[in-house]
Amino acid sequence: HTRLQGDWSSDVCSSDLASPAPWKLETVRKALPYYQKTFEESPSMAFVPWQSGAMTEAYFLTKDRKFADFVFAMNDWLIQMQYFEADGVPTPWVGGFGGFQAGHKVRSTPGAATAGYCEGLVEACRLAKALGDEKRLEAYENALRLGFLFLMGSQYSMTESPYFERWYSQKLNGAFYASVEDGNVRIEIGRAHV
């Protein structure tokens, strides 16, 4: 549901780039209060990357600060879900994102979803840089650095998988696993990381 909302908004903005029409951006502008209310009433980590991409494009097409402010609000909230050393989590978790349920941050094993959250942060960085918001740019860039370090740490390498037979380690080399507690390799995990 949340992905489709972001996809729809993004598709309309992309369509406007290819074939401009006033009604397209007006449709996204009219949808903005609905998305803001949805996020305020029931924040969702999955909602942030998709909406960040769409609303960033809407801002660059319209220069309407309301789109940028929404992206900032979502990503300011999102970085509070990221694990830092000071959180007392296991070292491999640092830089990954925990969970959010029933209105509260919950301690949960970070995993491949961190890649998606980083996508939203990239969009927030674009906006912060364009608008000269140095404080936010620094915060988002720091969150991205930690997120990328976490993601790089979830990649199999020949030296990081010595507990497998050599022939199998070679097949795993370069693949990404789902989380520090789930060593399964799936195509969509690698796609998200790359």
Side-chain angles (χ1 to χ4, degrees), residues 13 15 160 164 189:
C13 291
S15 171
E160 296 297 321
F164 293 113
I189 293 171

Side-chain angles (χ1 to χ4, degrees), residues 1-13 27-28 31-32 34-39 42-44 46-55 70 74:
H1 182 255
T2 56
R3 177 181 173 181
L4 293 177
Q5 292 171 346
D7 281 352
W8 172 85
S9 301
S10 183
D11 289 347
V12 172
C13 291
T27 301
V28 176
L32 178 61
Y34 168 79
Y35 292 138
Q36 288 171 314
K37 184 178 179 190
T38 298
F39 183 73
S42 183
S44 162
F47 185 85
V48 176
W50 296 101
Q51 285 299 317
S52 292
M55 296 302 143
F70 185 40
M74 289 186 294

Side-chain angles (χ1 to χ4, degrees), residues 5-190:
Q5 292 171 346
D7 281 352
W8 172 85
S9 301
S10 183
D11 289 347
V12 172
C13 291
S14 296
S15 171
D16 191 69
L17 282 171
S19 178
W23 69 266
K24 293 177 184 178
L25 293 177
E26 188 57 30
T27 301
V28 176
R29 194 181 312 268
K30 286 180 180 177
L32 178 61
Y34 168 79
Y35 292 138
Q36 288 171 314
K37 184 178 179 190
T38 298
F39 183 73
E40 288 169 13
E41 291 177 356
S42 183
S44 162
M45 294 172 70
F47 185 85
V48 176
W50 296 101
Q51 285 299 317
S52 292
M55 296 302 143
T56 296
E57 290 309 314
Y59 169 78
F60 283 118
L61 289 168
T62 65
K63 303 299 187 218
D64 184 338
R65 180 65 193 232
K66 291 177 188 172
F67 292 116
D69 289 342
F70 185 40
V71 172
F72 291 151
M74 289 186 294
N75 284 278
D76 289 350
W77 173 83
L78 180 68
I79 60 177
Q80 296 175 50
M81 303 302 128
Q82 191 172 33
Y83 288 127
F84 299 92
E85 286 182 41
D87 293 327
V89 296
T91 301
W93 289 24
V94 173
F97 287 80
F100 186 79
Q101 293 176 345
H104 301 285
K105 179 178 179 179
V106 294
R107 185 178 169 123
S108 62
T109 307
T114 295
Y117 306 141
C118 286
E119 287 180 41
L121 286 165
V122 166
E123 298 299 336
C125 279
R126 286 178 58 208
L127 276 176
K129 187 173 185 176
L131 293 170
D133 190 333
E134 295 298 323
K135 185 178 176 184
R136 278 198 170 101
L137 181 60
E138 182 180 354
Y140 298 153
E141 285 179 341
N142 287 335
L144 278 170
R145 272 190 217 92
L146 279 174
F148 291 153
L149 287 171
F150 169 80
L151 293 169
M152 290 184 335
S154 64
Q155 186 174 28
Y156 284 112
S157 68
M158 293 301 286
T159 58
E160 296 297 321
S161 55
Y163 36 86
F164 293 113
E165 292 290 333
R166 183 162 179 74
W167 67 269
Y168 192 66
S169 291
Q170 290 172 336
K171 293 179 184 280
L172 288 174
N173 192 33
F176 293 93
Y177 46 85
S179 77
V180 294
E181 294 178 355
D182 180 356
N184 287 316
V185 175
R186 296 191 314 262
I187 290 279
E188 74 274 11
I189 293 171

